[in-house]
Amino acid sequence: RTYKKDGEACTANYIRECILDEIVLEDLRRVTAEAREHPQKFAEYLNSKQSAELQKEIRRLEKEKAAMQKRKAELDAIFKKLYEDSVLGRITAEQFQLLSASYTEEQAKLIELLPQREAEIQRPKETVSNTAAFLDKAKRYTDIQALTPELLRLFIQRIEVGERETKYSRNSSQSVRIIYRDIGTVDSAMQPDEQ
């Protein structure tokens, strides 16, 4: 989508559908098999992986929220000073209207965004409890023969296709990152014999 809007911000990443289906199906089988065969180790792996990622994400979101709250306080102080300047005749009524309109608009956006940030902070905290939900789904689907829309909606949140190592080459490799619903990415390094 970004490539169509602004070709410089992102490059077009193309992969044939049949190859993508094969990659996703193989990875889905691997992850659900690991979850079914070694549920305790799988949950431990996810919790250890998620705790570091979650803490980083939560810190980032809390910094954004703090910056927004600071800006809101600054806007309150600016608005008070602007009002005083208007009352004391230091600025004209037209200047007051012009300046206060832009500050009021920015403040309204901040007031609208702050609850959204709070919800975004809660979302990663809830991810830890989603491990059990993923394990339950993996137990229900023991023999996945083909990739269906139902399976995609149930297990996959999104798929990211990376750039080819060599441009315009049909044989060049490219990365495919699968983000699972409820649990995020699962590294292929987590093999049952390593657990």
Side-chain angles (χ1 to χ4, degrees), residues 100-142:
S100 68
S102 64
Y103 288 135
T104 304
E105 183 180 326
E106 185 179 354
Q107 197 171 36
K109 285 180 184 176
L110 285 173
I111 290 170
E112 181 183 317
L113 288 175
L114 279 169
Q116 291 174 0
R117 280 294 177 267
E118 191 63 43
E120 287 177 18
I121 291 170
Q122 287 297 14
R123 215 172 293 135
K125 291 178 181 177
E126 294 168 356
T127 304
V128 175
S129 64
N130 292 337
T131 302
F134 186 86
L135 288 171
D136 287 340
K137 287 189 279 188
K139 288 176 185 173
R140 282 186 284 161
Y141 292 90
T142 56

Side-chain angles (χ1 to χ4, degrees), residues 36-103:
R36 277 191 315 275
E37 294 167 9
H38 307 282
Q40 184 66 32
K41 303 258 184 189
F42 188 78
E44 289 172 9
Y45 162 78
L46 288 178
N47 289 337
S48 67
K49 179 183 81 83
Q50 288 175 341
S51 64
E53 290 176 4
L54 289 175
Q55 293 305 319
K56 184 179 176 182
E57 180 69 11
I58 289 169
R59 278 193 302 273
R60 183 187 67 78
L61 290 169
E62 285 177 344
K63 281 182 184 178
E64 285 179 13
K65 180 184 169 191
M68 293 171 102
Q69 288 173 330
K70 181 181 175 188
R71 180 62 182 161
K72 184 181 177 301
E74 288 172 355
L75 287 172
D76 289 341
I78 289 170
F79 197 74
K80 286 177 186 175
K81 178 75 171 140
L82 187 63
Y83 183 73
E84 287 175 8
D85 288 344
S86 175
V87 169
L88 296 173
R90 294 182 190 145
I91 61 171
T92 65
E94 293 83 26
Q95 289 172 323
F96 176 78
Q97 290 296 328
L98 180 69
L99 293 170
S100 68
S102 64
Y103 288 135

